[in-house]
C-alpha cells in the first residue's frame, strides 16, 4: 500500500506540508520528515513517554498517534521551549535541579510538565508526582524531576502575581 496523503501540520507555530503514508505515526513524521529529533522514540507502545509532545496543549504519546490525526491541530515539540541558545524557565529548572542524567527521557518529561503546568499551575507536589509517574526514567529516581517542576510552577506563580500587582 503506497498511497500517500498530503498533510498540513502546525508544528511549533509553523505550517508544514508533508506527503506521508496514512499509517505513519506523528513521532516518525516529526523526527524523519520534519527533522525535529528532540522527540525521542523508545518503547513504541506508549508506555515510556519519551515521545511526549503537546497536541492542542495536552500531552500526547506521539508514537501512538497517526500524523494524519494531528492535521488541523497545534503540535508542540521540545524544540518549541527555548529560543535559540536561551532555555525556557522549565528547562532552566531541570538544569538547576539536576533533573536529568542521560537525557534520553528529558524531552518527554519537559513536554509532559509543560502541558501539566499549563492545565494545573497550582498543582501540589503530590499531583506533580502523580503526573510524572506516567513517564519512565531509569536514571534520576524522579525526585529531582518533581523538584524542578515544583520550582518552575512556584516561579511562574510568583511572576504572575508580580504582573497582576
Amino acid at each position: 500500500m503506497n498511497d500517500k496523503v498530503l498533510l498540513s501540520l502546525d508544528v511549533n507555530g509553523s505550517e508544514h506540508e508533508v506527503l506521508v503514508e496514512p499509517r505513519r505515526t506523528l513521532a516518525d513524521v516529526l523526527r524523519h520528515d520534519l527533522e525535529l529529533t528532540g522527540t525521542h522514540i523508545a518503547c513504541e507502545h506508549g508506555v515510556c513517554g519519551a515521545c511526549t509532545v503537546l497536541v492542542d496543549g495536552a500531552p500526547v504519546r506521539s508514537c501512538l498517534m497517526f500524523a494524519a490525526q494531528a492535521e488541523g491541530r497545534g503540535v508542540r515539540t521540545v524544540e518549541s521551549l527555548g529560543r535559540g541558545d536561551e532555555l525556557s524557565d522549565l528547562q532552566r529548572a531541570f538544569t538547576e535541579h539536576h533533573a536529568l542524567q542521560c537525557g534520553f527521557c528529558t524531552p518527554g518529561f519537559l513536554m509532559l510538565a509543560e502541558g501539566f503546568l499549563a492545565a494545573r499551575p497550582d498543582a501540589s507536589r503530590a499531583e506533580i508526582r502523580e503526573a510524572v509517574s506516567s513517564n519512565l526514567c531509569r536514571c534520576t529516581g524522579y525526585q529531582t524531576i518533581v523538584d524542578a517542576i515544583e520550582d518552575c510552577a512556584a516561579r511562574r506563580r510568583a511572576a504572575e502575581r508580580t504582573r497582576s500587582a
Side-chain angles (χ1 to χ4, degrees), residues 89-98 117 121 123 125 128 143-159:
D89 60 343
L90 184 59
Q91 290 170 311
R92 279 193 312 275
F94 266 62
T95 300
E96 291 166 4
H97 289 275
H98 308 287
L117 290 179
R125 186 172 181 82
I128 294 169
Q143 185 67 33
T144 56
I145 294 169
V146 173
D147 291 344
I149 296 168
E150 184 178 43
D151 182 44
C152 181
R155 290 180 191 197
R156 286 181 181 182
R157 287 190 303 268

Side-chain angles (χ1 to χ4, degrees), residues 53-98:
V53 298
L54 300 182
V55 176
D56 292 338
V60 170
R61 305 289 209 233
S62 63
C63 74
L64 296 180
M65 183 177 197
F66 292 117
Q69 292 174 290
E71 191 165 40
R73 302 172 77 184
V75 177
R76 283 185 63 201
T77 68
V78 71
E79 287 88 352
S80 73
L81 293 181
R83 297 200 195 296
D85 290 337
E86 185 180 333
L87 299 177
S88 72
D89 60 343
L90 184 59
Q91 290 170 311
R92 279 193 312 275
F94 266 62
T95 300
E96 291 166 4
H97 289 275
H98 308 287

